[in-house]
Amino acid sequence: MAPLLRLLLLASSMVAVASAGSFYDDILISWGDGRGKIHDGGHLLTLSLDKYSGSGFESKYEYLFGKIDMAIKLVLGNSAGTVTTFYLTSEDGPTHDEIDFEFLGNSSGDPYTLQTNVFTQGKGNREMQFKLWFDPSKHFHNYSIIWNPRHIIFMVDGIPIRDFQNLEARGVAFPNKQALKMKSSLWAAEDWATRGGQVKTDWSKAPFVASFRSFNADACVVGSAKRRCHAAKDGWWREELDSESHAKMMWVQKNHMIYNYCADVNRFPGGWPPECSVA
Ligand SMILES: *[C@@H]1O[C@H](CO)[C@@H](O)[C@H](O)[C@H]1NC(C)=O
Ligand SMILES: *[C@@H]1O[C@H](CO)[C@@H](O)[C@H](O)[C@H]1NC(C)=O
């Protein structure tokens, strides 16, 4: 089926939903055998990780475009080898789409790395990494993904850190053909997370705990027939960076970005990914 036709068909079965408030309404604890818990009448969720397992949760609904927010407080203290994630993903498979925030833990006192990535039609390798301008384990901070037909904007406390543009016209696939779920997890990735596996997880500090609240999906929910998504097509649907927010993003990328795949000269001997020559 032609992509545009598929998109139109999907659009006609979508409903705009702004959900806020209780985790009971919006998410399911999906794995971890009791290590993920909802507290405080649905306002707080904690994931924990020990030697035997991590844990995770996911949205009950699937989205095709939206603004998805989560406030997260990361594992405090020695978090080396732990990875906390907040991402949107389609089902696994050769054409899967994914939009990632991944927080790589560190030894006590050393900064976390925030890694972002975008997979489109199964192709990833688009990592950009940042050191945050605050300690993300001390307080809750807001992490948002604005995903509309033209942009994927990653934001931290309302400040854009990355803008992945729709460059389908130049042959770069964009996630707009399949619905994505929000997923979040806390797991052990000792082999790569902390300095490529050189720093091991200190299991005597387990369980490691990350906290979540204020999940909000102002999004087009796939599979519901109540109201068309067009109702919500102001705000995030048209959002792009104006000159002020673009300047903020440039500040972050200049001062806080520690890795950019588009600047990794040894990585792509066969030529740069096409999106790299645009930015
Ligand atoms: C995060 O967003 C919520 C809801 O919009 C707001 O109440 C809270 O103050 C924000 N927190 C931070 C750290 O920006
Ligand atoms: C951990 O801290 C060290 C020292 O500041 C830093 O080089 C490294 O990039 C940090 N992040 C990770 C994930 O190891």
Side-chain angles (χ1 to χ4, degrees):
M1 206 187 302
L4 182 61
L5 183 58
R6 285 180 48 153
L7 183 59
L8 288 173
L9 283 174
L10 271 172
S12 65
S13 66
M14 292 188 303
V15 55
V17 172
S19 67
S22 173
F23 279 114
Y24 289 117
D25 297 334
D26 300 320
I27 70 100
L28 295 169
I29 306 257
S30 42
W31 63 283
D33 201 14
R35 290 174 181 81
K37 290 194 180 77
I38 298 177
H39 315 255
D40 194 12
H43 293 295
L44 176 71
L45 189 155
T46 53
L47 292 181
S48 82
L49 163 70
D50 56 43
K51 228 176 171 161
Y52 307 101
S53 179
S55 48
F57 63 98
E58 62 183 50
S59 58
K60 289 182 183 170
Y61 304 105
E62 293 186 307
Y63 312 109
L64 186 58
F65 306 123
K67 178 171 187 285
I68 315 285
D69 311 303
M70 185 79 81
I72 309 176
K73 189 162 68 152
L74 295 171
V75 174
L76 184 66
N78 187 350
S79 58
T82 71
V83 176
T84 305
T85 65
F86 164 51
Y87 61 111
L88 303 178
T89 184
S90 64
E91 296 288 324
D92 267 344
T95 60
H96 103 284
D97 292 330
E98 193 175 306
I99 303 168
D100 293 323
F101 275 107
E102 297 174 310
F103 300 89
L104 282 54
N106 214 332
S107 317
S108 268
D110 283 336
Y112 270 82
T113 293
L114 166 54
Q115 169 161 295
T116 61
N117 203 356
V118 178
F119 287 76
T120 59
Q121 295 292 294
K123 187 188 171 309
N125 296 327
R126 297 190 174 106
E127 299 88 355
M128 286 173 71
Q129 296 184 339
F130 304 83
K131 289 275 188 288
L132 294 162
W133 49 96
F134 51 82
D135 179 348
S137 65
K138 286 264 160 67
H139 304 282
F140 282 93
H141 289 270
N142 289 330
Y143 304 94
S144 305
I145 297 166
I146 294 176
W147 170 37
N148 66 35
R150 293 176 57 213
H151 296 268
I152 296 166
I153 302 172
F154 293 81
M155 301 181 83
V156 175
D157 288 338
I159 298 174
I161 63 168
R162 176 174 187 176
D163 179 13
F164 183 86
Q165 299 182 38
N166 184 331
L167 295 170
E168 283 180 305
R170 301 191 191 211
V172 183
F174 191 82
N176 54 15
K177 293 169 188 60
Q178 54 191 340
L180 309 185
K181 269 190 177 179
M182 183 282 298
K183 295 193 182 185
S184 200
S185 59
L186 172 60
W187 54 287
E190 281 190 290
D191 294 346
W192 64 281
T194 307
R195 296 185 214 170
Q198 289 173 45
V199 181
K200 296 295 173 197
T201 305
D202 180 359
W203 291 110
S204 75
K205 300 289 188 309
F208 301 100
V209 177
S211 306
F212 301 80
R213 66 179 198 209
S214 310
F215 170 62
N216 189 58
D218 188 359
C220 303
V221 175
V222 174
S224 173
K226 272 189 275 178
R227 191 155 56 91
R228 291 175 71 118
C229 185
H230 295 89
K233 289 185 180 173
D234 52 356
W236 60 263
W237 181 267
R238 291 214 166 74
E239 191 141 338
E240 55 187 0
L241 300 183
D242 60 15
S243 58
E244 190 189 337
S245 44
H246 188 262
K248 284 184 183 161
M249 184 175 78
M250 289 295 110
W251 172 81
V252 174
Q253 293 190 355
K254 181 161 179 282
N255 296 291
H256 297 278
M257 187 162 67
I258 56 166
Y259 178 80
N260 179 0
Y261 75 110
C262 281
D264 189 341
V265 289
N266 298 317
R267 189 163 173 192
F268 304 102
W272 296 106
E275 69 274 16
C276 291
S277 54
V278 176

